[in-house]
Amino acid sequence: MLFSRLIARRVRLISGLVLLLFVAGHLSNLALGLASVDAMERWRGVLLRPWQTGFGQALLLVAAIVHAGLGLASLASRRSLAMGRTDWVQLLLGLATPPLLVNHVVGGQVTSDLVARFSADYGFVLAVYWRYAPLLALQQLLVVVIVWTHGAIGLYSTLVLRRSWRRLAPIVVPILFAIPILALLGFAHAGEAVLARLATDTAWRALIEQNLRILQEMGHRLNVIEGGVFLVYGMAVALVVGILVVNILRQRRTRVMVSYDGGLTAVGRVGMSVLEVSRANDIPHASVCGGRARCGTCRIIVPADADLDSPAEAELATLDRVKAPPGARLACQAHLLGRPVSVRRVYPAFVDAEAAREPGSWSAATEPDLETVP
Amino acid sequence: MRARSLAGAIALFFAGAASSPASAGELAFQRLAELVSVDVSANLQALQDDFAQAPAEAQRLGAAIAAALSDGTAVRAVTFVLILVIVGAGLEWLYWTFAAAPLRGIVSGSTATPREAAVLALRRLGLLGFGLVLFTASTVGAALLLPWPANVDAMVIAATALVVALRSACIVADVVVSPHHPSLRLAPIQQYKSGFVVGGVAWLSILAATAILLPQLLTTVASAPHLAGTIRVGIGALIVISLLAAVLIASRQGSGSGKSRRERPRFPKAFIVTFVIVATAILALAGGGRIAALLVDIAIVAALLGASKRIVSFFWRDATGRDEEPVTETVPDMRPLIVLAVVRFAILLMGIAGLILIMRVPLAELTTGSNPLARFTLRVADTVALAFVVYLGWIAIRFTIDRRLRLLAPLDPHSPPTENTRLLTLLPLLRTTLAIVFVTLFTLSALWTLGVQIAPLLAGAGIFGLAVGFGAQTLVRDVISGVFFLIEDVFRIGEYIESGTSTKGTVEHISFRTVALRHHNGPLTFVPYGLLGTVRNDSRDWVIDKFNIPLPLSVDSEKIRKMIKGIGEDMTLDPELGQLIREPLKGKLYRVDPGVKIFRCKFMTAPGCQFDVRTAALKRIEAALVEAGVSFAGAGPQTILVRRAPDP
């Protein structure tokens, strides 16, 4: 690793927030379609202009590449696919986003960057989607839901671990629901208006068709750009999947016994984390953040000489935050090295985010009697 | 008239056409044949039409979809559908952010008995089910608010129904089979099969829901009935293939174990199931869906009834013991039997409800009873309900009696009586009596419910009974006097009774007409209650025993009296004899005859112990007399040789 996991995590979060902020603005703009197409166009200057400057575009591009790259990197560093349901959803939605989104970005923004007389205003884009290329519209609708779901889940799982969540939740949750629904309603409403105008306003229709011709003339160049993006992304994904498969296959014959409190035992492979072993063997194990070393609820107590890799910076920070006693490890970060390991889970499997927000209240109740067990 | 309409109902029932009861009778067979031949040829012709016209309809449908794409309908519809997804899935996600922790709490717990697992499974079903209800309600609610393009709303409803059907099937299968938590499993399924079962259920529910919803949609919205018919046949074929594959896999895995050679050959389930599936498919193709559905309904009810015992005993597998050896020490548990009865009754009721639904009997006809088939079905349902109630009552009573008997000691007629003997005497008799009463009442009520007039039967029995009654006077007398003997508690099992002069013995067995007496010499006498007459019960409360001792005139009466009294007091102190004695031995001068003084002794003991006590008393008296140098009085001068016992 070039830089520590802790920094990578923060960068990933910040890049994700930047992207989510942009998407939120974009979708809010779409929601104005409930008023009129003109309103969308007027507010575009406010909501989207900052992102269309050189700096804004660069920031978005960097954020997108960094976010995707870090996501792929963390996928490549996995040693098992024993993930929670939320993680699977996030992974698949995240992987699906770039290929679905690329023609929207290229067709809209790149073309207007390249060709001066091409104006991709809302009227034109809506006309294309509703009248001339309905299949693209279906694709974009799908990607709206996918991107927003990915972002909302990411935001929720970050915020829910913070103490301020109780105060934030009544504001954040309705916004998370309202933005995509209003955007879709706005899209539908504006689409009706655009279709009506296309039928009556022939001059406007001619303008649209002229713009379309530009797009068709550009078609070859756009296809080259899209093809390039697809190629790079496809290669990156193939590389990551290849690394993942090789890593899993290389260790597939190793067997490491993990024995739990309560007489449970499980078998894992070298390189799997203890949490992944629990998940793969249906052993109840608390894990609020899903294995990102953030919540501290997957904590285990291990003997001093346990054959596990040494804790990294992110894990130490979390253990310090939850005031864990010596001998504690995070199950999601403690990877098996080869010899059998015996662990004791600290939290019952049914803890919720409250245990991560207020580690003190849980530790006070549970840890003293656990200390007495050897 | 009753019997005629019953036969008509049965004939119609099998013909599958409930039209008019009048033409039943000898024409039933002919009509049946006509119906079948007409139906089959018509159905096959309809199938041919479907296949012939489906491609054209599919092309038309494709053109309509293309048109919908370009005029904005499709985009609008997809936009709204995505809103539904956000609302439905989003609200359910919100629910799970609260409900996931309780669910994890349920599945991470461990259970001691299968019943606890069932309770946990119910809770899990509640949590999962509420999520589904929330999803459904919010989706439907949002769908009602949105302005859908024409015809799309029907599709959305169908799609929602499909998703809900699939999800409910998956939830139920997951709760029952529980692939990830073996301790919560509610069915006897091995671990490696569980995932297969859930997957199979999901696949079949998708197919079934599609087979129902898609053709309906095509017929109503797209007005493409032939395409709908073709798709129905296609999905039906897929379902049949999947079911056959499932049967094949299940039978392979079942016979794969090596120990099967030692077991007796089993019922060829796989063959029967295959036959039923294929027969249903053929019937559905040739005879229309209704008769196939009837067959499926009956087959499912039969299969469930066959499996019900295994299913219920699965939940009591910890209590009833593993294999053949039953647990004899513990008191029998009647809950499994009651649950089994309830389960069987519920299965039968559901089967009958299914029959009513399949036959499309209107509710009005059900209530007024104008349809003979409906009437017959209702009567069968009534009888089943009656049987259920009677069976439940019988189980409850039998188990209460058995439990009570098991808790009291097992009855041995020749051991000393305890306070429970009366219960032990009466309870088995009560059990038999109740069985007879229940069976009689149930038979009469069932006949009455099924429409057979029982009044003539009872009247006939009355006249016949009069005739028999004269002949069976003694029988009646025996039974009646037996009832009174038992009510008045004249004797119990284990008591020694004497009746009249010669009949005596220990009561060993009590039946309706006779009592079995074991004479102390061995023979067993069966005495009808009517002949018992005066009964002398030798085994109640206490007995007084008296015996005489003849002594010479020369003895000192007062000294002998004191000696006997001393012996009596000694005997009460004896650890064994003392328990039996109620009043100690006493003796006094009773009579003076020429040459002999007769002393009479008496004592009181528990019933049946007087012989032992008397023997012991005589032995001690004899020893004391020898000690005192007194001999028994005889008819003349006697020489008594006494061997003194060595000093202890």
Side-chain angles (χ1 to χ4, degrees):
Chain A
M1 274 273 159
L2 290 174
F3 46 91
S4 85
R5 227 168 241 267
L6 200 58
I7 296 173
R9 208 173 74 190
R10 278 192 193 139
V11 170
R12 198 170 156 191
L13 176 64
I14 291 168
S15 61
L17 281 177
V18 167
L19 292 171
L20 186 63
L21 201 61
F22 165 71
V23 174
H26 197 11
L27 292 186
S28 311
N29 201 347
L30 206 52
L32 287 169
L34 279 173
S36 69
V37 181
D38 287 341
M40 289 167 90
E41 203 53 47
R42 256 182 279 124
W43 279 89
R44 187 158 74 110
V46 183
L47 288 169
L48 291 185
R49 185 64 67 206
W51 303 102
Q52 283 168 339
T53 59
F55 173 73
Q57 287 198 21
L59 181 66
L60 274 181
L61 193 65
V62 169
I65 291 174
V66 164
H67 195 73
L70 286 174
L72 288 176
S74 92
L75 179 63
S77 69
R78 295 196 78 95
R79 293 294 177 270
S80 151
L81 286 176
M83 293 187 278
R85 197 177 292 177
T86 312
D87 287 352
W88 271 110
V89 170
Q90 284 295 75
L91 174 63
L92 295 179
L93 293 184
L95 281 180
T97 303
L100 288 175
L101 202 56
V102 71
N103 72 36
H104 179 68
V105 176
V106 170
Q109 195 55 46
V110 176
T111 313
S112 37
D113 285 353
L114 290 178
V115 185
R117 63 201 165 96
F118 176 77
S119 74
D121 64 352
Y122 266 107
F124 170 69
V125 175
L126 285 170
V128 169
Y129 281 156
W130 281 84
R131 183 75 183 80
Y132 299 100
L135 287 178
L136 285 183
L138 302 188
Q139 183 184 332
Q140 289 323 303
L141 287 170
L142 195 63
V143 91
V144 164
V145 176
I146 287 179
V147 167
W148 189 259
T149 310
H150 184 87
I153 293 178
L155 185 68
Y156 167 81
S157 21
T158 311
L159 288 183
V160 78
L161 300 178
R162 292 172 195 249
R163 281 200 193 158
S164 48
W165 174 245
R166 282 178 173 282
R167 274 174 287 123
L168 284 178
I171 308 160
V172 173
V173 171
I175 290 178
L176 288 183
F177 275 89
I179 286 181
I181 292 175
L182 289 177
L184 289 175
L185 283 174
F187 179 72
H189 193 261
E192 292 290 300
V194 165
L195 281 181
R197 192 174 167 194
L198 272 181
T200 52
D201 191 344
T202 44
W204 190 65
R205 185 168 175 171
L207 191 71
I208 300 281
E209 280 170 1
Q210 185 202 340
N211 252 335
L212 257 183
R213 270 194 293 282
I214 298 175
L215 205 58
Q216 275 161 358
E217 285 162 18
M218 294 279 301
H220 180 65
R221 282 175 71 187
L222 294 183
N223 281 346
V224 171
I225 297 176
E226 279 186 33
V229 173
F230 269 123
L231 188 68
V232 171
Y233 181 71
M235 275 164 54
V237 172
L239 181 69
V240 164
V241 171
I243 292 175
L244 183 66
V245 169
V246 167
N247 273 333
I248 291 179
L249 285 184
R250 219 174 45 188
Q251 305 288 0
R252 74 185 184 284
R253 292 196 188 283
T254 57
R255 284 168 58 86
V256 185
M257 286 283 287
V258 181
S259 49
Y260 294 81
D261 51 311
L264 296 170
T265 55
V267 178
R269 298 187 301 268
V270 169
M272 279 171 89
S273 73
V274 175
L275 184 64
E276 284 167 344
V277 175
S278 306
R279 283 198 173 135
N281 291 280
D282 293 328
I283 286 176
H285 203 137
S287 158
V288 170
C289 70
R292 291 183 177 73
R294 284 205 296 229
C295 66
T297 51
C298 65
R299 191 149 91 238
I300 48 175
I301 307 285
V302 293
D305 58 346
D307 196 23
L308 297 166
D309 63 348
S310 51
E313 199 184 335
E315 180 180 356
L316 289 175
T318 303
L319 285 174
D320 184 50
R321 184 174 65 79
V322 300
K323 298 185 182 58
R329 288 293 306 269
L330 293 185
C332 60
Q333 303 298 315
H335 296 92
L336 303 175
L337 295 180
R339 278 198 316 236
V341 181
S342 143
V343 307
R344 190 153 45 75
R345 294 160 293 176
V346 173
Y347 286 101
F350 50 82
V351 292
D352 54 8
E354 190 63 38
R357 289 196 288 265
E358 305 282 347
S361 62
W362 269 93
S363 331
T366 54
E367 282 192 43
D369 65 308
L370 282 158
E371 287 301 315
T372 59
V373 185
Chain B
M1 182 57 216
R2 284 245 171 218
R4 207 179 126 83
S5 78
L6 197 73
I10 293 172
L12 284 172
F13 181 76
F14 285 110
S19 48
S20 70
S23 61
E26 68 259 30
L27 283 175
F29 254 124
Q30 211 179 333
R31 281 199 62 216
L32 183 69
E34 279 171 19
L35 265 175
V36 168
S37 58
V38 168
D39 270 9
V40 167
S41 56
N43 277 321
L44 291 180
Q45 185 59 43
L47 271 184
Q48 266 184 355
D49 286 357
D50 283 353
F51 283 124
Q53 299 187 22
E57 282 184 350
Q59 270 182 354
R60 200 153 50 78
L61 194 65
I65 290 175
L69 263 179
S70 61
D71 72 358
T73 312
V75 178
R76 197 177 161 82
V78 171
T79 311
F80 288 168
V81 166
L82 286 174
I83 291 179
L84 290 195
V85 169
I86 292 175
V87 172
L91 278 180
E92 198 184 343
W93 167 80
L94 202 61
Y95 165 71
W96 281 117
T97 60
F98 295 99
L103 188 69
R104 278 200 303 273
I106 291 174
V107 297
S108 65
S110 60
T111 54
T113 67
R115 267 103 60 215
E116 281 178 26
V119 172
L120 285 186
L122 275 185
R123 262 192 239 163
R124 194 146 67 108
L125 191 65
L127 275 175
L128 291 167
F130 186 76
L132 181 58
V133 167
L134 197 68
F135 171 82
T136 316
S138 48
T139 309
V140 171
L144 290 178
L145 289 176
L146 291 172
W148 294 94
N151 285 341
V152 177
D153 41 0
M155 288 189 226
V156 169
I157 290 171
T160 313
L162 182 73
V163 172
V164 171
L166 170 66
R167 288 197 53 196
S168 12
C170 284
I171 285 177
V172 171
D174 187 61
V175 167
V176 171
V177 178
S178 190
H180 297 292
H181 311 285
S183 70
L184 297 180
R185 198 163 292 160
L186 297 187
I189 294 171
Q190 286 104 343
Q191 174 73 33
Y192 67 92
K193 277 188 194 171
S194 54
F196 168 74
V197 170
V198 174
V201 167
W203 169 242
L204 282 177
S205 62
I206 287 183
L207 284 183
T210 317
I212 293 169
L213 294 169
L214 188 59
Q216 261 183 10
L217 208 59
L218 285 175
T219 317
T220 54
V221 175
S223 58
H226 297 292
L227 187 61
T230 313
I231 284 179
R232 205 179 276 138
V233 171
I235 298 180
L238 260 182
I239 292 180
V240 168
I241 292 171
S242 312
L243 282 175
L244 288 179
V247 170
L248 187 71
I249 293 172
S251 66
R252 277 269 174 81
Q253 288 181 342
S255 64
S257 55
K259 59 173 183 175
S260 61
R261 197 167 294 175
R262 285 173 55 197
E263 293 172 359
R264 273 190 292 173
R266 293 260 177 88
F267 190 66
K269 273 187 219 154
F271 179 80
I272 304 262
V273 172
T274 311
F275 173 76
V276 168
I277 293 170
V278 173
T280 311
I282 291 171
L283 273 181
L285 278 181
R290 205 188 276 190
I291 201 157
L294 269 183
L295 184 63
V296 170
D297 186 70
I298 293 170
I300 287 177
V301 167
L304 283 178
L305 281 181
S308 58
K309 186 159 188 193
R310 222 152 29 100
I311 293 170
V312 171
S313 62
F314 176 81
F315 287 101
W316 270 273
R317 63 180 186 274
D318 55 333
T320 51
R322 274 269 149 208
D323 294 320
E324 301 86 54
E325 47 168 336
V327 183
T328 46
E329 271 76 50
T330 52
V331 178
D333 195 351
M334 71 171 165
R335 284 172 300 166
L337 278 178
I338 288 185
V339 170
L340 183 62
V342 173
V343 165
R344 282 184 176 162
F345 179 63
I347 291 170
L348 274 181
L349 269 194
M350 279 192 287
I352 289 171
L355 279 184
I356 291 175
L357 280 182
I358 291 164
M359 300 309 297
R360 306 244 171 89
V361 180
L363 273 181
E365 288 189 9
L366 268 189
T367 45
T368 55
S370 57
N371 185 331
L373 179 67
R375 211 158 52 206
F376 178 71
T377 316
L378 271 189
R379 281 178 184 162
V380 171
D382 277 354
T383 316
V384 171
L386 190 69
F388 169 67
V389 171
V390 169
Y391 183 64
L392 269 194
W394 168 236
I395 285 180
I397 288 171
R398 205 190 88 195
F399 264 86
T400 323
I401 292 178
D402 281 359
R403 202 186 164 82
R404 196 67 201 269
L405 282 176
R406 190 77 67 105
L407 285 176
L408 309 170
L411 181 58
D412 175 13
H414 300 287
S415 63
T418 59
E419 67 269 25
N420 294 325
T421 17
R422 183 164 159 80
L423 273 180
L424 287 169
T425 308
L426 288 181
L427 284 179
L429 208 61
L430 186 68
R431 194 170 53 187
T432 323
T433 319
L434 282 174
I436 291 171
V437 169
F438 271 62
V439 167
T440 317
L441 280 183
F442 171 68
T443 315
L444 290 178
S445 315
L447 284 175
W448 186 65
T449 318
L450 284 175
V452 178
Q453 292 285 351
I454 54 167
L457 204 69
L458 288 179
I463 295 167
F464 182 68
L466 205 64
V468 172
F470 282 118
Q473 257 182 329
T474 38
L475 179 73
V476 175
R477 197 180 65 182
D478 288 342
V479 173
I480 301 280
S481 34
V483 168
F484 281 102
F485 275 129
L486 291 174
I487 288 175
E488 290 165 4
D489 193 17
V490 173
F491 45 80
R492 303 171 182 180
I493 288 181
E495 290 183 337
Y496 190 92
I497 61 169
E498 295 175 45
S499 137
T501 50
S502 56
T503 329
K504 58 176 91 169
T506 312
V507 180
E508 265 200 5
H509 181 73
I510 289 176
S511 70
F512 280 106
R513 200 181 67 88
T514 57
V515 56
L517 300 180
R518 174 76 69 181
H519 191 262
H520 45 263
N521 289 343
L524 190 62
T525 321
F526 291 87
V527 191
Y529 293 119
L531 294 181
L532 222 43
T534 318
V535 171
R536 184 171 138 183
N537 193 329
D538 289 337
S539 304
R540 288 284 163 87
D541 307 327
W542 44 264
V543 223
I544 288 179
D545 197 48
K546 295 174 181 170
F547 58 91
N548 296 342
I549 303 176
L551 290 178
L553 285 173
S554 57
V555 296
D556 179 354
S557 302
E558 187 56 21
K559 197 174 146 195
I560 294 295
R561 190 185 68 79
K562 280 184 179 160
M563 186 192 83
I564 294 175
K565 192 177 179 187
I567 289 172
E569 278 164 5
D570 276 356
M571 281 170 72
T572 54
L573 296 178
D574 187 285
E576 281 180 16
L577 291 172
Q579 293 175 354
L580 308 176
I581 296 169
R582 301 276 165 85
E583 274 179 21
L585 177 72
K586 281 175 189 164
K588 62 186 178 195
L589 182 59
Y590 175 58
R591 217 165 63 211
V592 181
D593 281 351
V596 63
K597 270 183 177 170
I598 293 180
F599 288 82
R600 168 158 274 204
C601 308
K602 88 171 191 183
F603 58 91
M604 187 198 281
T605 64
C609 306
Q610 64 267 42
F611 309 107
D612 295 343
V613 176
R614 192 202 296 165
T615 314
L618 282 173
K619 194 175 155 194
R620 286 178 187 229
I621 290 171
E622 189 181 19
L625 287 176
V626 169
E627 181 94 6
V630 180
S631 63
F632 286 105
Q638 284 176 354
T639 310
I640 298 170
L641 286 174
V642 178
R643 244 182 92 196
R644 283 192 60 183
D647 285 324

